[in-house]
Amino acid sequence: MEKSNSIHDVFSTNTIPLNYIERNIDSIFIENITHGNHVVVYGSSKQGKTSLRKYNLKPDEYISLNCINTWSLEDVFKAILKAVGFVQDTEVKTQKTSKASGGFNFWKVKADVANERQVARIGKVLEINTQDPNDIVSVLKESGFDQKIISIDDFHYLSEEVQKSFSTALKVFHDNSQIKFLITAVWSGDRLSILNGDLQGRITAINADVWSQADLRELISVSESLLNIKFDENAINDLIEKSDGFVHMVQAIAHNICSQEGIFRTLPIFKNIGASTSIEHECLLYVNASSSRYRRLFEELCTYTSDTEHDLYRWLIFILVSKIEEKYLKSGLYYKAIYRLLEDNHPNSSTFTGTTKRKFRSLLEKIVEVQTKINISPIVFDYDENVEKLEIVDKSFLLWLKHQEKDSLLDCIDMSHM
């Protein structure tokens, strides 16, 4: 008897979906993560970064942690130690030693406030400076973790300063151990090698955003085999075209088509479906499901600062939604270009000074921090200080923007008094 699959498992977006397909990036990922390089997987949220790791690596081959925007470099190192199995005795009063991989017994870590160092025990007392990557490498090697992978998700939430410090630490790990780092972020490129040129040749960047039309057709074909169905070809062509390479949208709408046709598991008898589905309507429903989040983002940004004279965040949103073509929104916008548009459109641009220019740059540099504070997750905007470029790192936002009336968006950011 053939296995019966649920549509939830086939089109899953929170675990490895049964219709997972191997793309070109899978072989690149395996080749590099197993033969010496650190790997950065970048791309928009919901484009398969986590599935790439879970599909290609066994659970016992890596540890994983998610970054928090308030973390320092030392916090990152402490999180790594805790994920491996180290504990601080400020958290555990009494603890028996336990067997660890490599045959070591360990418990730990006691803070020595006087010299700001930590004391760890792995069969013996070790001093660990939790700000020094050399110490972290040493203690991980002694704990038997020398040939495993450390996966760090949401790396983009760390401050630019911490990212830069960590890029320096990566070289230490590469040169002094077999430990590999797998870093995921919503950037549009390899920012770590820009932060630290010494990582050239030591780190491989993989773009998870690349979903070709052929990839998406294969995804649908695998789904059809798993469920014993056939989607209407015109409907699928329309869906793939409108998705603009956003796989989460394809998965969600394919799931909805099945549900609307009363299909929830593999059918015992083959069936054609989707001929009567309006893909335009389904796409509109999909993008509008995020309307409240994006509108709240606009509203919160517009009122975030006390800069009532120039309202710089409000004018940034105005420029993004009304003055820039879609192709430039996709590729990113440089600070100088945005500021020129600000000067051209702001009614009080004659009062702009050097201070205004510096303030605007500072607001762009803080845009990830601001989105985190107002609970926008995943983030929509990212700013690369190295090249002074604002990027939209949420593909669903671009799709949503395409389906909105400009007047409605302007009402949302309230330009009436400008």
Side-chain angles (χ1 to χ4, degrees):
M1 181 178 178
E2 292 187 5
K3 182 180 178 181
S4 176
N5 306 300
S6 73
I7 60 172
H8 173 76
D9 291 336
V10 171
F11 302 109
S12 177
T13 56
N14 51 18
T15 60
I16 304 173
L18 293 181
N19 66 353
Y20 184 96
I21 64 164
E22 293 187 13
R23 297 179 281 162
N24 291 336
I25 66 172
D26 285 74
S27 57
I28 298 171
F29 175 83
I30 288 297
E31 174 67 22
N32 284 278
I33 203 71
T34 57
H35 291 92
N37 269 9
H38 301 304
V39 173
V40 173
V41 180
Y42 64 90
S44 178
S45 178
K46 303 176 182 177
Q47 283 290 77
K49 298 189 297 295
T50 301
S51 290
L52 179 69
R53 180 218 332 146
K54 291 183 175 180
Y55 180 82
N56 288 291
L57 298 178
K58 297 175 183 177
D60 62 356
E61 291 181 315
Y62 66 91
I63 60 169
S64 63
L65 53 129
N66 292 78
C67 292
I68 298 173
N69 68 307
T70 56
W71 276 2
S72 63
L73 179 64
E74 184 177 14
D75 291 326
V76 176
F77 287 155
K78 285 182 178 179
I80 290 170
L81 291 175
K82 289 179 181 179
V84 171
F86 290 75
V87 293
Q88 292 180 273
D89 69 358
T90 54
E91 300 172 352
V92 182
K93 297 295 183 183
T94 304
Q95 178 170 331
K96 296 180 180 180
T97 60
S98 59
K99 208 75 173 173
S101 59
F104 293 95
N105 293 318
F106 59 87
W107 59 348
K108 56 221 85 74
V109 171
K110 183 177 180 181
D112 182 349
V113 179
N115 58 17
E116 297 182 352
R117 293 173 71 86
Q118 309 292 332
V119 179
R121 169 172 286 178
I122 308 177
K124 61 180 180 179
V125 176
L126 295 177
E127 271 193 310
I128 306 172
N129 179 352
T130 51
Q131 296 181 350
D132 184 351
N134 294 285
D135 273 23
I136 304 301
V137 168
S138 177
V139 74
L140 289 178
K141 290 170 73 171
E142 289 209 44
S143 73
F145 193 79
D146 187 41
Q147 294 184 332
K148 292 193 177 182
I149 298 163
I150 300 174
S151 175
I152 302 182
D153 291 339
D154 297 330
F155 192 79
H156 51 273
Y157 282 123
L158 299 177
S159 70
E160 191 88 6
E161 179 184 355
V162 175
Q163 291 180 27
K164 187 170 185 178
S165 297
F166 190 83
S167 71
T168 302
L170 274 180
K171 182 177 181 295
V172 175
F173 278 92
H174 186 280
D175 293 349
N176 297 289
S177 76
Q178 297 298 310
I179 297 170
K180 316 292 192 310
F181 278 88
L182 168 58
I183 295 168
T184 62
V186 296
W187 305 321
S188 62
D190 173 19
R191 194 171 298 179
L192 285 175
S193 293
I194 296 174
L195 289 171
N196 180 9
D198 286 338
L199 290 178
Q200 293 286 347
R202 295 180 170 93
I203 194 166
T204 299
I206 297 175
N207 184 1
D209 263 341
V210 180
W211 282 89
S212 68
Q213 292 199 358
D215 290 333
L216 295 175
R217 291 185 197 285
E218 183 182 352
L219 188 80
I220 292 297
S221 178
V222 171
S223 309
E224 292 171 334
S225 298
L226 290 167
L227 296 169
N228 197 28
I229 60 173
K230 178 68 176 177
F231 288 100
D232 179 77
E233 187 173 351
N234 291 330
I236 291 304
N237 289 341
D238 197 17
L239 174 57
I240 290 175
E241 186 66 32
K242 285 180 165 61
S243 72
D244 198 22
F246 188 34
V247 68
H248 186 273
M249 180 177 178
V250 174
Q251 292 280 73
I253 292 179
H255 179 285
N256 287 348
I257 293 173
C258 289
S259 179
Q260 290 164 13
E261 300 258 359
I263 300 169
F264 301 98
R265 303 195 68 86
T266 305
L267 293 179
I269 301 174
F270 178 83
K271 183 179 180 179
N272 291 295
I273 67 171
S276 61
T277 300
S278 168
I279 296 300
E280 177 64 29
H281 177 69
E282 290 298 320
C283 290
L284 194 60
L285 288 176
Y286 177 87
V287 298
N288 283 342
S290 300
S291 279
S292 60
R293 183 166 72 94
Y294 296 138
R295 288 179 177 275
R296 185 170 69 82
L297 168 64
F298 286 174
E299 292 166 0
E300 296 275 3
L301 279 179
C302 288
T303 58
Y304 185 79
T305 70
S306 58
D307 175 29
T308 54
E309 181 185 3
H310 295 125
D311 249 342
L312 295 177
Y313 266 148
R314 191 186 304 275
W315 278 95
L316 171 64
I317 300 300
F318 170 79
I319 289 168
L320 292 177
V321 302
S322 65
K323 299 296 179 181
I324 298 175
E325 295 179 38
E326 181 184 359
K327 63 180 179 180
Y328 297 117
L329 291 176
K330 287 181 178 180
S331 61
L333 302 154
Y334 289 99
Y335 163 77
K336 288 182 179 179
I338 303 173
Y339 193 77
R340 280 198 300 269
L341 287 170
L342 183 65
E343 289 180 313
D344 290 343
N345 289 277
H346 200 291
N348 296 326
S349 59
S350 61
T351 66
F352 285 6
T353 63
T355 300
T356 310
K357 199 169 187 177
R358 289 191 295 273
K359 181 181 290 186
F360 186 61
R361 179 185 280 110
S362 176
L363 289 176
L364 292 178
E365 291 171 352
K366 293 177 180 177
I367 201 159
V368 171
E369 177 187 340
V370 171
Q371 289 169 97
T372 303
K373 286 182 177 179
I374 61 179
N375 298 314
I376 298 297
S377 179
I379 62 171
V380 175
F381 303 114
D382 184 45
Y383 186 71
D384 186 347
E385 294 181 32
N386 296 287
V387 294
E388 296 192 322
K389 188 178 184 182
L390 180 71
E391 297 173 333
I392 294 174
V393 292
D394 180 355
K395 285 184 76 75
S396 64
F397 174 79
L398 290 169
L399 290 168
W400 173 79
L401 204 59
K402 186 188 298 187
H403 286 80
Q404 306 308 303
E405 294 289 339
K406 186 180 296 185
D407 288 343
S408 174
L409 293 178
L410 294 180
D411 286 343
C412 176
I413 60 178
D414 188 15
M415 303 299 293
S416 59
H417 62 290
M418 297 297 167

